[in-house]
Amino acid sequence: MKLHILVAIFCNSSIIVGGFMDADLALKFFKSRSLQSNVVLVCALKNEQMEFARKINAEKDTVTSVKHMENLNVLSNLIMNYRRVGIVVDGDCLGTPDFLLRCRKYKVFDTKHFWLIQYNSSSYQNLFTNVNLNVDSEVKVAYPVTKSDMLRKKYAIDEVYNSAFEKGGVLKMSRVGQYTIQSGYEIFEIQNKYFLRRNLTGVHFSSVVVLPEPFDEPLKSYMVNDKNIEVNTLNRFHARLMQYCTEYYNFSVSVGVTKSWGFFKPDGTMDGLVGALEKKTADFGMSPLIAKVERAKFISYGKGTWPLRMAFMFRNPNTKKSYEIFVKPLSTQIWIAIILSSWLLTLAQKLSYAFSYGFHQQDATENVDCSWGVCVIRTLGAFCQQAMSDMPRELSGKITIFVTLTLGLLVYQFYSAILVSFLLNVPVSIITNIQGILDHGFSIGYENVLYSRSLLEVSTDPITKEIYRRVLANNKSGFLSRDVGMNLMKEGHYAFHIELVTAYPFIRKHFDEAMICELKEIFLFPAVFMYANYQKWSPIKDIMDVW
């Protein structure tokens, strides 16, 4: 009797293990996804596991281990493997449903674990009851449609996923391919899986938006309209992107409001948006985040959505004034040389006329005026390209007049050419970096927003630390709102650090054209991207990123 029972148990286990666990199907599945590190989970006896391993490792391109699914270390090893892993499971084992349930806490139904479950019929739905599948799962089920298909080794391939298991999503199954001995493992139509899975069946998510500036209208309409778009700009932009996702992927979202992006609290946790994602009270953020190492252990970052560009803005003190237009073309030394030459020529004229007509102011016979005033006018006339009314008799006087006219011609020509060139050229500011702002004694202000302040506080650059010290030292004009800081900048000799996308709408409304031409911006930090953000290991991260 005992021998009969043992034989029956052995025959049944042989049917379960060897009846449908197809080594060639498993091998073709691994090759189709270019998987080199794989595992096969069965409930067979040790010698049958070794036989299956021998068959599947006949190919040298893959390394596959065959293990019993009751092995407690199997799932721990999978989660510690950071490579892409192929997993084939014997779905006919009695322990398969419990094994799939155990996978829930290990998060192995994701984008780097590729599952193929071999089952003996199309009624496999019971395997996935309460199994934590999500929209990013890579799970296929292979089964024979009829009994004759089993003999011919012809299997249908279904794709199985859940739109959002923990949010009440729907389990979805669809035919995507087949396996035959002749054609091998083939998928009918290769498309982006997130495009095929874009209907999330109306599941409901929670989110948080960061709005540091107050608003006076319903939150939903405030996030999507263009009224006062320069206020809370980047948050409303990102919120609008996420709102588009709700329509495209067919899900709903409830949104909470916070004033902090996420910074450490005394107990070591994060506040604001990051804190909500850490506590799992929010599934994703409606505001973008700057990528920081300390936040990475609490959340997952997605794609960059907002280029953050902040700079010091100030009125350029070296802009051309009206008097400089006529003075600057020639250097100070040249102007001094021209003035000295003019006086020398005036003196030479006075002496030459005096020797020719006498030292009296006017010669009655020749009617020639030899006064100092007339000599000065004659010199000035020469520089203005005017002719001489009379000439001295002596050769020395004639040489003096010739030199005066020649010098006047040269100065006039050079001055005219340089003046035109000077008017055409844009003035070059001597303030080209942050150190120049400090050296010229500018008062310094900083827009009072948390993400900008956090960059300033943690920087180790000596110049940035000096900026921070000066901002802290100036209580009246240090950390300010946008409007107050921009008005101080408008008055002059004040540099205000602000995000450019919020600064220019204010400039357009309150600055005249002359002031706009005087503005200059110098970057304290390089432009950085702000990123979409999700719960740690969120299954919806990839589907939102590829939209």
mmCIF file of all heavy atoms in Angstrom, residues 462-492:
data_model
loop_
_atom_site.group_PDB
_atom_site.id
_atom_site.type_symbol
_atom_site.label_atom_id
_atom_site.label_comp_id
_atom_site.label_asym_id
_atom_site.label_seq_id
_atom_site.Cartn_x
_atom_site.Cartn_y
_atom_site.Cartn_z
ATOM 1 N N PRO A 462 33.664 80.025 -1.986
ATOM 2 C CA PRO A 462 33.970 81.193 -1.138
ATOM 3 C C PRO A 462 33.167 82.438 -1.507
ATOM 4 O O PRO A 462 32.710 83.162 -0.623
ATOM 5 C CB PRO A 462 35.465 81.409 -1.373
ATOM 6 C CG PRO A 462 35.988 80.077 -1.816
ATOM 7 C CD PRO A 462 34.883 79.436 -2.579
ATOM 8 N N ILE A 463 32.991 82.704 -2.798
ATOM 9 C CA ILE A 463 32.241 83.897 -3.206
ATOM 10 C C ILE A 463 30.776 83.756 -2.800
ATOM 11 O O ILE A 463 30.165 84.709 -2.304
ATOM 12 C CB ILE A 463 32.374 84.112 -4.728
ATOM 13 C CG1 ILE A 463 33.830 84.437 -5.084
ATOM 14 C CG2 ILE A 463 31.454 85.231 -5.194
ATOM 15 C CD1 ILE A 463 34.072 84.669 -6.554
ATOM 16 N N THR A 464 30.211 82.562 -2.999
ATOM 17 C CA THR A 464 28.820 82.344 -2.616
ATOM 18 C C THR A 464 28.644 82.489 -1.104
ATOM 19 O O THR A 464 27.640 83.034 -0.629
ATOM 20 C CB THR A 464 28.369 80.948 -3.071
ATOM 21 O OG1 THR A 464 28.636 80.792 -4.464
ATOM 22 C CG2 THR A 464 26.876 80.771 -2.843
ATOM 23 N N LYS A 465 29.620 82.021 -0.335
ATOM 24 C CA LYS A 465 29.545 82.159 1.117
ATOM 25 C C LYS A 465 29.604 83.634 1.527
ATOM 26 O O LYS A 465 28.936 84.052 2.472
ATOM 27 C CB LYS A 465 30.678 81.364 1.762
ATOM 28 C CG LYS A 465 30.532 79.856 1.609
ATOM 29 C CD LYS A 465 31.750 79.101 2.098
ATOM 30 C CE LYS A 465 31.865 79.148 3.596
ATOM 31 N NZ LYS A 465 32.979 78.294 4.087
ATOM 32 N N GLU A 466 30.384 84.421 0.797
ATOM 33 C CA GLU A 466 30.443 85.859 1.077
ATOM 34 C C GLU A 466 29.110 86.528 0.734
ATOM 35 O O GLU A 466 28.641 87.424 1.462
ATOM 36 C CB GLU A 466 31.579 86.501 0.280
ATOM 37 C CG GLU A 466 31.666 88.016 0.375
ATOM 38 C CD GLU A 466 31.930 88.513 1.795
ATOM 39 O OE1 GLU A 466 32.372 87.712 2.654
ATOM 40 O OE2 GLU A 466 31.669 89.711 2.054
ATOM 41 N N ILE A 467 28.500 86.098 -0.356
ATOM 42 C CA ILE A 467 27.168 86.600 -0.710
ATOM 43 C C ILE A 467 26.186 86.309 0.420
ATOM 44 O O ILE A 467 25.402 87.175 0.847
ATOM 45 C CB ILE A 467 26.674 85.959 -2.020
ATOM 46 C CG1 ILE A 467 27.508 86.439 -3.218
ATOM 47 C CG2 ILE A 467 25.196 86.249 -2.252
ATOM 48 C CD1 ILE A 467 27.259 87.852 -3.632
ATOM 49 N N TYR A 468 26.214 85.074 0.910
ATOM 50 C CA TYR A 468 25.303 84.670 1.983
ATOM 51 C C TYR A 468 25.544 85.513 3.245
ATOM 52 O O TYR A 468 24.596 85.930 3.925
ATOM 53 C CB TYR A 468 25.507 83.182 2.276
ATOM 54 C CG TYR A 468 24.502 82.598 3.250
ATOM 55 C CD1 TYR A 468 23.158 82.950 3.199
ATOM 56 C CD2 TYR A 468 24.912 81.676 4.210
ATOM 57 C CE1 TYR A 468 22.247 82.404 4.079
ATOM 58 C CE2 TYR A 468 24.000 81.120 5.102
ATOM 59 C CZ TYR A 468 22.667 81.495 5.032
ATOM 60 O OH TYR A 468 21.763 80.959 5.911
ATOM 61 N N ARG A 469 26.810 85.774 3.557
ATOM 62 C CA ARG A 469 27.126 86.575 4.737
ATOM 63 C C ARG A 469 26.576 87.988 4.602
ATOM 64 O O ARG A 469 25.992 88.535 5.548
ATOM 65 C CB ARG A 469 28.650 86.628 4.940
ATOM 66 C CG ARG A 469 29.082 87.290 6.238
ATOM 67 C CD ARG A 469 30.570 87.607 6.224
ATOM 68 N NE ARG A 469 30.917 88.607 5.230
ATOM 69 C CZ ARG A 469 30.707 89.918 5.389
ATOM 70 N NH1 ARG A 469 30.158 90.371 6.506
ATOM 71 N NH2 ARG A 469 31.056 90.759 4.445
ATOM 72 N N ARG A 470 26.720 88.578 3.422
ATOM 73 C CA ARG A 470 26.238 89.941 3.218
ATOM 74 C C ARG A 470 24.717 89.998 3.244
ATOM 75 O O ARG A 470 24.131 90.970 3.741
ATOM 76 C CB ARG A 470 26.763 90.496 1.903
ATOM 77 C CG ARG A 470 28.264 90.706 1.878
ATOM 78 C CD ARG A 470 28.670 91.606 0.739
ATOM 79 N NE ARG A 470 30.118 91.743 0.632
ATOM 80 C CZ ARG A 470 30.736 92.590 -0.171
ATOM 81 N NH1 ARG A 470 30.008 93.397 -0.965
ATOM 82 N NH2 ARG A 470 32.046 92.658 -0.224
ATOM 83 N N VAL A 471 24.075 88.987 2.676
ATOM 84 C CA VAL A 471 22.609 88.960 2.692
ATOM 85 C C VAL A 471 22.094 88.859 4.121
ATOM 86 O O VAL A 471 21.137 89.538 4.509
ATOM 87 C CB VAL A 471 22.089 87.792 1.832
ATOM 88 C CG1 VAL A 471 20.584 87.627 2.004
ATOM 89 C CG2 VAL A 471 22.399 88.034 0.357
ATOM 90 N N LEU A 472 22.722 88.001 4.924
ATOM 91 C CA LEU A 472 22.303 87.860 6.320
ATOM 92 C C LEU A 472 22.573 89.133 7.112
ATOM 93 O O LEU A 472 21.814 89.494 8.022
ATOM 94 C CB LEU A 472 23.036 86.683 6.968
ATOM 95 C CG LEU A 472 22.627 85.277 6.511
ATOM 96 C CD1 LEU A 472 23.473 84.235 7.212
ATOM 97 C CD2 LEU A 472 21.145 85.026 6.784
ATOM 98 N N ALA A 473 23.663 89.827 6.771
ATOM 99 C CA ALA A 473 24.030 91.032 7.508
ATOM 100 C C ALA A 473 23.087 92.193 7.234
ATOM 101 O O ALA A 473 22.951 93.103 8.048
ATOM 102 C CB ALA A 473 25.472 91.438 7.171
ATOM 103 N N ASN A 474 22.425 92.169 6.080
ATOM 104 C CA ASN A 474 21.543 93.271 5.699
ATOM 105 C C ASN A 474 20.096 92.864 5.973
ATOM 106 O O ASN A 474 19.429 92.284 5.126
ATOM 107 C CB ASN A 474 21.745 93.616 4.226
ATOM 108 C CG ASN A 474 21.135 94.971 3.880
ATOM 109 O OD1 ASN A 474 20.289 95.499 4.599
ATOM 110 N ND2 ASN A 474 21.581 95.528 2.776
ATOM 111 N N ASN A 475 19.614 93.166 7.141
ATOM 112 C CA ASN A 475 18.271 92.728 7.523
ATOM 113 C C ASN A 475 17.177 93.420 6.717
ATOM 114 O O ASN A 475 16.112 92.855 6.486
ATOM 115 C CB ASN A 475 18.035 92.988 9.021
ATOM 116 C CG ASN A 475 18.961 92.151 9.882
ATOM 117 O OD1 ASN A 475 19.302 91.034 9.515
ATOM 118 N ND2 ASN A 475 19.383 92.701 11.013
ATOM 119 N N LYS A 476 17.420 94.662 6.292
ATOM 120 C CA LYS A 476 16.378 95.418 5.606
ATOM 121 C C LYS A 476 16.250 95.047 4.137
ATOM 122 O O LYS A 476 15.177 95.134 3.560
ATOM 123 C CB LYS A 476 16.651 96.922 5.742
ATOM 124 C CG LYS A 476 16.517 97.425 7.178
ATOM 125 C CD LYS A 476 16.716 98.934 7.228
ATOM 126 C CE LYS A 476 16.536 99.450 8.642
ATOM 127 N NZ LYS A 476 16.723 100.929 8.723
ATOM 128 N N SER A 477 17.344 94.689 3.523
ATOM 129 C CA SER A 477 17.292 94.395 2.074
ATOM 130 C C SER A 477 18.001 93.088 1.753
ATOM 131 O O SER A 477 18.679 92.971 0.751
ATOM 132 C CB SER A 477 17.918 95.547 1.285
ATOM 133 O OG SER A 477 19.263 95.727 1.683
ATOM 134 N N GLY A 478 17.876 92.088 2.624
ATOM 135 C CA GLY A 478 18.487 90.784 2.385
ATOM 136 C C GLY A 478 17.544 89.859 1.656
ATOM 137 O O GLY A 478 17.448 89.877 0.431
ATOM 138 N N PHE A 479 16.820 89.014 2.377
ATOM 139 C CA PHE A 479 15.829 88.117 1.776
ATOM 140 C C PHE A 479 14.515 88.872 1.626
ATOM 141 O O PHE A 479 13.877 89.246 2.611
ATOM 142 C CB PHE A 479 15.645 86.876 2.647
ATOM 143 C CG PHE A 479 16.855 85.985 2.658
ATOM 144 C CD1 PHE A 479 17.646 85.884 3.783
ATOM 145 C CD2 PHE A 479 17.209 85.245 1.531
ATOM 146 C CE1 PHE A 479 18.762 85.058 3.798
ATOM 147 C CE2 PHE A 479 18.319 84.423 1.530
ATOM 148 C CZ PHE A 479 19.099 84.335 2.663
ATOM 149 N N LEU A 480 14.112 89.083 0.379
ATOM 150 C CA LEU A 480 12.958 89.929 0.093
ATOM 151 C C LEU A 480 12.001 89.253 -0.871
ATOM 152 O O LEU A 480 12.355 88.293 -1.561
ATOM 153 C CB LEU A 480 13.421 91.258 -0.524
ATOM 154 C CG LEU A 480 14.399 92.105 0.299
ATOM 155 C CD1 LEU A 480 14.901 93.261 -0.547
ATOM 156 C CD2 LEU A 480 13.748 92.600 1.572
ATOM 157 N N SER A 481 10.805 89.776 -0.946
ATOM 158 C CA SER A 481 9.854 89.332 -1.965
ATOM 159 C C SER A 481 10.273 89.885 -3.320
ATOM 160 O O SER A 481 11.102 90.802 -3.413
ATOM 161 C CB SER A 481 8.449 89.805 -1.618
ATOM 162 O OG SER A 481 8.385 91.227 -1.671
ATOM 163 N N ARG A 482 9.676 89.347 -4.360
ATOM 164 C CA ARG A 482 10.062 89.766 -5.708
ATOM 165 C C ARG A 482 9.819 91.258 -5.925
ATOM 166 O O ARG A 482 10.704 91.983 -6.413
ATOM 167 C CB ARG A 482 9.264 88.966 -6.743
ATOM 168 C CG ARG A 482 9.609 89.301 -8.177
ATOM 169 C CD ARG A 482 8.540 88.876 -9.145
ATOM 170 N NE ARG A 482 7.295 89.613 -8.907
ATOM 171 C CZ ARG A 482 6.297 89.675 -9.792
ATOM 172 N NH1 ARG A 482 6.384 89.025 -10.923
ATOM 173 N NH2 ARG A 482 5.201 90.361 -9.520
ATOM 174 N N ASP A 483 8.643 91.764 -5.554
ATOM 175 C CA ASP A 483 8.299 93.150 -5.844
ATOM 176 C C ASP A 483 9.201 94.130 -5.117
ATOM 177 O O ASP A 483 9.663 95.125 -5.687
ATOM 178 C CB ASP A 483 6.839 93.406 -5.470
ATOM 179 C CG ASP A 483 5.870 92.664 -6.383
ATOM 180 O OD1 ASP A 483 6.354 91.993 -7.316
ATOM 181 O OD2 ASP A 483 4.650 92.760 -6.165
ATOM 182 N N VAL A 484 9.485 93.856 -3.847
ATOM 183 C CA VAL A 484 10.341 94.763 -3.069
ATOM 184 C C VAL A 484 11.767 94.770 -3.635
ATOM 185 O O VAL A 484 12.381 95.827 -3.821
ATOM 186 C CB VAL A 484 10.348 94.354 -1.583
ATOM 187 C CG1 VAL A 484 11.339 95.214 -0.804
ATOM 188 C CG2 VAL A 484 8.955 94.467 -0.990
ATOM 189 N N GLY A 485 12.304 93.583 -3.914
ATOM 190 C CA GLY A 485 13.662 93.502 -4.436
ATOM 191 C C GLY A 485 13.811 94.146 -5.803
ATOM 192 O O GLY A 485 14.806 94.845 -6.062
ATOM 193 N N MET A 486 12.830 93.979 -6.676
ATOM 194 C CA MET A 486 12.913 94.576 -8.004
ATOM 195 C C MET A 486 12.794 96.089 -7.951
ATOM 196 O O MET A 486 13.423 96.800 -8.735
ATOM 197 C CB MET A 486 11.825 93.987 -8.904
ATOM 198 C CG MET A 486 11.990 92.495 -9.201
ATOM 199 S SD MET A 486 13.493 92.116 -10.122
ATOM 200 C CE MET A 486 13.069 92.736 -11.737
ATOM 201 N N ASN A 487 12.005 96.601 -7.020
ATOM 202 C CA ASN A 487 11.909 98.059 -6.880
ATOM 203 C C ASN A 487 13.208 98.659 -6.375
ATOM 204 O O ASN A 487 13.611 99.750 -6.793
ATOM 205 C CB ASN A 487 10.759 98.413 -5.939
ATOM 206 C CG ASN A 487 9.403 98.334 -6.632
ATOM 207 O OD1 ASN A 487 9.274 98.724 -7.786
ATOM 208 N ND2 ASN A 487 8.414 97.819 -5.936
ATOM 209 N N LEU A 488 13.904 97.961 -5.468
ATOM 210 C CA LEU A 488 15.213 98.429 -5.017
ATOM 211 C C LEU A 488 16.219 98.390 -6.170
ATOM 212 O O LEU A 488 17.053 99.294 -6.315
ATOM 213 C CB LEU A 488 15.706 97.565 -3.855
ATOM 214 C CG LEU A 488 15.000 97.762 -2.510
ATOM 215 C CD1 LEU A 488 15.486 96.738 -1.503
ATOM 216 C CD2 LEU A 488 15.225 99.179 -1.991
ATOM 217 N N MET A 489 16.158 97.349 -6.990
ATOM 218 C CA MET A 489 17.046 97.262 -8.145
ATOM 219 C C MET A 489 16.762 98.401 -9.124
ATOM 220 O O MET A 489 17.675 98.953 -9.753
ATOM 221 C CB MET A 489 16.869 95.913 -8.832
ATOM 222 C CG MET A 489 17.859 95.652 -9.958
ATOM 223 S SD MET A 489 17.432 94.193 -10.910
ATOM 224 C CE MET A 489 16.070 94.823 -11.889
ATOM 225 N N LYS A 490 15.511 98.779 -9.246
ATOM 226 C CA LYS A 490 15.127 99.855 -10.149
ATOM 227 C C LYS A 490 15.760 101.178 -9.751
ATOM 228 O O LYS A 490 16.097 102.005 -10.608
ATOM 229 C CB LYS A 490 13.600 99.973 -10.159
ATOM 230 C CG LYS A 490 13.041 100.986 -11.135
ATOM 231 C CD LYS A 490 11.523 100.985 -11.070
ATOM 232 C CE LYS A 490 10.938 102.016 -12.022
ATOM 233 N NZ LYS A 490 9.454 102.037 -11.951
ATOM 234 N N GLU A 491 15.964 101.383 -8.451
ATOM 235 C CA GLU A 491 16.560 102.630 -7.967
ATOM 236 C C GLU A 491 18.047 102.710 -8.287
ATOM 237 O O GLU A 491 18.616 103.805 -8.312
ATOM 238 C CB GLU A 491 16.340 102.738 -6.459
ATOM 239 C CG GLU A 491 14.874 102.881 -6.081
ATOM 240 C CD GLU A 491 14.670 102.875 -4.579
ATOM 241 O OE1 GLU A 491 15.698 102.836 -3.848
ATOM 242 O OE2 GLU A 491 13.517 102.910 -4.124
ATOM 243 N N GLY A 492 18.707 101.569 -8.499
ATOM 244 C CA GLY A 492 20.108 101.578 -8.892
ATOM 245 C C GLY A 492 21.057 101.181 -7.785
ATOM 246 O O GLY A 492 20.750 101.272 -6.599
#
